[in-house]
Amino acid sequence: MENDRLIVGLDIGTTKICAIIGRKNEFGKLEVLGMGKAVSDGVNRGVVTNIDKTVHAIQKAVEDASEMADVDIVEVIVGIAGQHIQSKIVHGSIMRTPTEDEITVEDVRRLSSDMENIVVPPGNSIIHVMPQDYTVDYEGGIKDPVGMSGTRLEADFHIITAQTAAINNINRCVRRANLTSKQLILEPLASSLSVLSDEEKEAGVCLVDIGGGTTDIAIFYENIIRHTAVIPLGGNIITTDIKEGCMVMQNQAELLKTRFGKAIANEANPNEIVSIPGLRNRPPKEISIRNLASIIEARMEEIIEIVQNEIMQSGHYKKLAGGIVLTGGGSQLQCISQLFEYMTGLDTRIGYPNEHLGKSVVEEVKSPMYATSVGLVLAGFKSLDEREEGYKKRLANSAPIVKPGNKEFLTKDIFRSIGAKLKGIITDDIGDDITY
């Protein structure tokens, strides 16, 4: 087994920290070789609030995954989320000399690189730069300008920023766990790789990832990311509502939600009662399933209203032929897809990370709860494949790099080549490129 062909995804979530080790099989499908998870006590709504607890959870998750796959883990691809995430559209342009024959990949990369130097609010850093449509000599609506003739190259860029302190805390936790962060990826982008099809991204689709602390949104249209947002409400707030509304313990509220909870109160049997143990020397407490569903429905309606507002603000509500795809642990709530359809008027389905998965040691990863973790591994392979493809094209179109008798090694610039066709570049904090 070649360790350099293994990718490790590390999802640092509010309720759990999950590490997944995967490799590609001969059919191009992802095989999960190991998985480890630990309770996340040091993260609140996607933001690290306790370094020591987070480091301990990362170490446990990585050790479990490492033992299952029987490999040593050094590098990981890390997901980032949180209410501090912001996005905006920025216009950029460059001028080319008239003597140049055609627009090259280097021109596109130079335009994208210029966007990394734009001014962002103090305390924030750019984590992703994603081109939208290009314009060549004032002719717009161009998806791929490479090979065209023109002097002025322009594009609208989707810029995603995060708090610098939040980025540094995540990187610090990874380093203290004796790991290296190879890439930092926005979690809804990772989830989209595992649960969305190319047809849905082309037709227009809204991904809603309902996690423990946040609900992440990513809107795609014409196979391009158009809008992203992070809502600071998730499954944990529903559990808190149940705890307070039913006057039960936190763990009891979580069990009530996952085992008996429904997102639509009218779907619950009004005569169904569940009995839970009371505190010391107190009788058991009886909870009405209809009342439980009413508490859940009220909070879910609030979350859906915010999602609906984000879709409207993006300007793509009438372009979402693919509707809404729900994923994440919160998407497993009964009747949730029906509630989304009723409130938004859009077709809704639950997204499972099954399409890209082959035979795996752990069948549990096929749950929507692990969509982000699987997506992080897929993002790593997508980046690796692009580097190798770029290298082969560079090697085929130029003189040999390694001559007979010469021990010269390949440079990093070669591996950073991304080929002749480019739909979008996502540049992370260490300069690796992923094409979506």
Side-chain angles (χ1 to χ4, degrees):
M1 184 183 299
E2 300 179 10
N3 287 351
D4 60 338
R5 297 296 301 178
L6 299 180
I7 298 294
V8 183
L10 181 62
D11 177 15
I12 303 177
T14 302
T15 57
K16 71 179 188 311
I17 291 179
C18 180
I20 288 182
I21 305 173
R23 69 175 177 184
K24 286 289 187 71
N25 61 18
E26 64 272 21
F27 305 107
K29 297 292 185 178
L30 177 65
E31 291 184 355
V32 175
L33 304 179
M35 183 187 78
K37 58 183 178 179
V39 177
S40 180
D41 292 328
V43 181
N44 183 28
R45 293 181 177 176
V47 178
V48 175
T49 56
N50 189 301
I51 296 291
D52 291 335
K53 290 182 178 180
T54 303
V55 170
H56 178 73
I58 291 175
Q59 290 174 334
K60 183 182 184 306
V62 170
E63 287 174 3
D64 291 346
S66 179
E67 290 178 3
M68 184 178 297
D70 194 23
V71 295
D72 293 330
I73 298 177
V74 178
E75 293 183 331
V76 293
I77 296 176
V78 185
I80 184 172
Q83 63 189 77
H84 58 91
I85 300 293
Q86 297 181 350
S87 65
K88 62 180 179 179
I89 302 297
V90 178
H91 187 80
S93 64
I94 59 171
M95 296 298 297
R96 305 174 64 251
T97 58
T99 57
E100 294 177 319
D101 294 334
E102 62 183 34
I103 296 174
T104 64
V105 174
E106 285 70 23
D107 293 326
V108 177
R109 290 176 59 85
R110 180 159 62 94
L111 177 58
S112 296
S113 298
D114 287 346
M115 291 298 100
E116 299 175 29
N117 300 321
I118 66 171
V119 178
V120 296
N124 286 263
S125 299
I126 297 175
I127 57 175
H128 294 310
V129 175
M130 294 170 286
Q132 308 287 286
D133 295 331
Y134 290 92
T135 300
V136 178
D137 287 349
Y138 305 102
E139 183 67 30
I142 299 173
K143 299 296 186 298
D144 182 8
V146 176
M148 299 182 64
S149 297
T151 303
R152 184 180 179 88
L153 177 63
E154 304 174 72
D156 289 328
F157 289 86
H158 189 129
I159 308 294
I160 299 179
T161 63
Q163 282 186 359
T164 305
I167 296 174
N168 292 339
N169 285 333
I170 289 176
N171 291 331
R172 185 174 294 109
C173 290
V174 173
R175 286 195 303 268
R176 288 184 56 178
N178 298 320
L179 300 169
T180 301
S181 177
K182 189 177 181 182
Q183 294 171 357
L184 194 65
I185 299 175
L186 185 65
E187 291 189 354
L189 296 181
S191 300
S192 69
L193 288 176
S194 63
V195 302
L196 297 183
S197 65
D198 292 336
E199 291 79 10
E200 286 176 321
K201 292 180 182 179
E202 182 70 27
V205 65
C206 175
L207 174 71
V208 180
D209 188 342
I210 307 175
T214 61
T215 296
D216 305 330
I217 301 172
I219 297 177
F220 293 83
Y221 181 65
E222 293 183 341
N223 217 17
I224 297 173
I225 180 75
R226 300 293 184 177
H227 183 75
T228 55
V230 178
I231 301 171
L233 297 174
N236 284 0
I237 193 67
I238 298 176
T239 303
T240 301
D241 288 348
I242 296 172
K243 172 188 174 183
E244 296 176 355
C246 298
M247 299 183 67
V248 295
M249 302 292 291
Q250 183 80 14
N251 61 336
Q252 293 174 335
E254 181 67 22
L255 289 174
L256 285 171
K257 180 185 73 173
T258 55
R259 293 188 181 182
F260 306 101
K262 295 179 184 292
I264 300 178
N266 289 336
E267 294 294 326
N269 188 341
N271 299 321
E272 189 175 357
I273 302 293
V274 59
S275 179
I276 61 175
L279 297 176
R280 179 180 297 180
N281 298 327
R282 289 177 176 84
K285 182 181 290 290
E286 292 185 346
I287 306 296
S288 168
I289 297 300
R290 173 66 68 87
N291 292 339
L292 175 66
S294 299
I295 295 173
I296 296 174
E297 182 179 7
R299 180 61 73 174
M300 280 308 309
E301 285 180 346
E302 180 184 1
I303 295 175
I304 295 173
E305 287 176 357
I306 300 176
V307 172
Q308 174 85 334
N309 185 53
E310 289 289 344
I311 296 175
M312 289 297 189
Q313 288 185 354
S314 72
H316 288 81
Y317 176 78
K318 295 184 178 180
K319 301 177 182 179
L320 300 182
I324 295 175
V325 176
L326 302 176
T327 192
S331 67
Q332 299 178 94
L333 197 62
Q334 297 181 53
C335 305
I336 191 171
S337 59
Q338 294 93 315
L339 185 60
F340 263 87
E341 287 185 349
Y342 173 74
M343 293 190 63
T344 65
L346 297 172
D347 293 337
T348 304
R349 73 173 179 89
I350 306 299
Y352 295 85
N354 296 340
E355 181 179 352
H356 304 285
L357 286 178
K359 184 179 180 180
S360 301
V361 176
V362 186
E363 291 297 317
E364 189 180 358
V365 297
K366 295 182 179 180
S367 167
M369 187 182 302
Y370 302 102
T372 299
S373 305
V374 173
L376 291 171
V377 179
L378 290 172
F381 276 108
K382 198 172 185 66
S383 176
L384 181 60
D385 292 342
E386 291 292 346
R387 288 198 206 91
E388 291 180 345
E389 180 183 356
Y391 161 65
K392 291 177 182 178
K393 291 182 178 180
R394 176 88 171 259
L395 188 63
N397 297 327
S398 61
I401 300 171
V402 182
K403 299 178 180 179
N406 187 359
K407 297 182 179 179
E408 183 178 357
F409 290 94
L410 305 180
T411 64
K412 183 178 180 181
D413 290 335
I414 295 171
F415 287 95
R416 289 171 58 85
S417 298
I418 57 173
K421 291 187 177 180
L422 198 61
K423 288 185 178 178
I425 302 175
I426 298 179
T427 305
D428 69 359
D429 57 327
I430 62 171
D432 290 321
D433 295 326
I434 307 172
T435 304
Y436 283 86

